[in-house]
């Protein structure tokens, strides 16, 4: 999958993506990442990517033409059939695992990262198919959102994660939060690892983990539980979790 980021801070994206899973996906050739700086496409005599907003008010707005020319170059560099241009903005659709899954088959995803107060509305209308957001809080630009999208999509591409991690991906994210994890030593700050995890009974461990996932989701994200159709066994495990919590 080709990712192209339109940004006046291209190094912010390129440097961060060299690390970890995204970095490996790039060296494996499963992911291609390019950044396009609107500043390199400025042609007007004032050499600026931004200008004052019509109608007045604070801040600056990114101009249409440098953004448009950067997108044209990004498209020409790949010449893909399945290409989408996404503007990352607080007005966008919230990014979810489902939204990411729906975009896994793209050949090229062009991510437009804005700065200042925003970008000229005519660029959004004419060049962007969708608008995506990280959520209802304020960032100072779209670069971190672009990195979030690249990270979350890259790890879904075949071959990027190892077999174990891919299998876990399949069996997991069934609408619940993850269960707690423990590693050595057995005792930390007076606290011991739950004994079931030391026993080696894999069926019991699986049931314990499901109970913790259900209980944790109920405690931390009750909204997720309301969307879930729990099995009879899951309902029983959650009731047990609540009873065990009271007796603590
Ligand atoms: C405080 C400025 N706001 C006007 C009252 C508007 C505003 C403009 C530009 C708010 C944020 C930004 C920059 N944000 C992004 O580029 C962005 C973003 C975000 O701020 N929140 C969640 N997701 C995203 S994706 C891109």
């Amino acid at each position: 999958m080709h990712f192209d980021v339109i940004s006046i801070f291209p190094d912010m994206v390129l440097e961060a993506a060299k690390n970890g899973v995204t970095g490996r996906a790039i060296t494996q050739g499963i992911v291609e990442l390019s950044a396009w700086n609107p500043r390199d496409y400025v042609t007007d005599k004032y050499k600026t990517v931004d200008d004052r907003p019509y109608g007045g008010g604070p801040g600056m707005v990114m101009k249409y033409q440098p953004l448009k020319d950067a997108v044209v170059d990004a498209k020409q560099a790949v010449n893909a059939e399945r290409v989408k241009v996404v503007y990352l903005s607080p007005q966008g659709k919230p990014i979810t695992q489902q939204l990411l899954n729906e975009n896994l088959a793209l050949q090229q995803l062009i991510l437009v990262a804005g700065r200042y107060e925003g970008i000229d509305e005519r660029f959004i209308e004419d060049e962007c198919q969708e608008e995506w957001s990280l959520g209802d809080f304020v960032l100072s630009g779209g670069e971190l959102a672009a990195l979030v999208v690249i990270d979350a999509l890259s790890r879904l591409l075949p071959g990027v994660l190892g077999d174990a991690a891919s299998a876990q991906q399949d069996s997991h994210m069934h609408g619940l939060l993850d269960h707690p994890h423990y590693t050595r030593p057995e005792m930390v700050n007076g606290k011991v690892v739950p004994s079931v995890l030391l026993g080696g009974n894999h069926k019991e461990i699986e049931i314990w983990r499901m109970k913790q996932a259900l209980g944790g989701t109920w405690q931390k994200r009750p909204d997720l539980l309301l969307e879930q159709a729990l099995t009879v066994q899951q309902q029983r495990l959650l009731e047990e979790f609540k009873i065990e919590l009271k007796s603590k």
Side-chain angles (χ1 to χ4, degrees):
M1 190 164 183
H2 287 80
F3 294 106
D4 295 88
V5 180
I6 313 297
S7 164
I8 61 165
F9 298 123
D11 292 344
M12 183 176 168
V13 177
L14 295 175
E15 289 301 316
K18 285 177 183 168
N19 299 282
V21 169
T22 50
R24 217 173 313 122
I26 291 166
T27 51
Q28 286 178 110
I30 299 168
V31 161
E32 284 95 356
L33 174 60
S34 305
W36 308 84
N37 190 342
R39 236 178 250 298
D40 296 337
Y41 297 87
V42 167
T43 55
D44 72 299
K45 61 178 174 178
Y46 304 104
K47 298 266 181 225
T48 48
V49 291
D50 59 321
D51 205 341
R52 291 149 59 211
Y54 277 118
M60 300 291 271
V61 175
M62 291 183 84
K63 293 162 69 68
Y64 175 97
Q65 174 268 322
L67 288 170
K68 166 73 194 261
D69 291 353
V71 165
V72 166
D73 255 11
K75 284 181 176 172
Q76 268 170 2
V78 177
N79 198 22
E81 271 174 8
R82 298 189 306 279
V83 49
K84 193 181 271 188
V85 181
V86 170
Y87 173 42
L88 300 160
S89 95
Q91 284 78 45
K93 178 195 288 190
I95 297 167
T96 60
Q97 200 65 35
Q98 186 190 323
L99 180 74
L100 297 164
N101 276 315
E102 287 166 1
N103 286 280
L104 265 182
L106 290 173
Q107 291 169 301
Q108 184 181 27
L109 178 57
I110 302 176
L111 298 164
V112 180
R115 285 271 152 175
Y116 315 109
E117 279 311 295
I119 71 184
D120 193 298
E121 188 67 19
R122 293 163 294 186
F123 174 81
I124 306 171
E125 288 174 5
D126 294 353
E127 298 299 327
C128 303
Q129 281 73 58
E130 293 179 25
E131 214 170 328
W132 295 355
S133 167
L134 287 187
D136 296 334
F137 51 90
V138 181
L139 295 172
S140 39
E143 285 79 8
L144 288 171
L147 281 163
V148 165
V149 170
I150 293 164
D151 181 288
L153 278 175
S154 294
R155 60 189 300 287
L156 295 176
L157 296 174
V160 170
L161 294 187
D163 287 347
S166 299
Q168 199 180 23
Q169 199 159 61
D170 292 342
S171 71
H172 240 277
M173 266 307 281
H174 33 44
L176 297 176
L177 300 183
D178 204 358
H179 56 75
H181 301 262
Y182 297 88
T183 188
R184 291 189 292 178
E186 246 182 77
M187 169 112 75
V188 169
N189 206 17
K191 290 177 144 178
V192 291
V193 174
S195 58
V196 61
L197 300 178
L198 304 171
N201 183 331
H202 297 293
K203 187 72 208 164
E204 261 186 57
I205 291 169
E206 194 191 312
I207 291 166
W208 180 86
R209 284 178 171 164
M210 176 53 74
K211 189 195 284 188
Q212 299 308 310
L214 288 161
T217 307
W218 171 71
Q219 287 177 311
K220 299 171 189 176
R221 290 291 304 277
D223 58 307
L224 292 181
L225 270 193
L226 296 174
E227 300 170 23
Q228 279 285 117
L230 298 185
T231 65
V232 173
Q233 194 212 14
Q234 285 178 321
Q235 293 175 42
R236 206 188 61 226
L237 288 173
L238 181 54
E239 288 316 309
E240 283 176 24
F241 181 95
K242 292 177 185 176
I243 290 162
E244 286 164 21
L245 190 70
K246 276 186 217 150
S247 65
K248 266 184 198 167

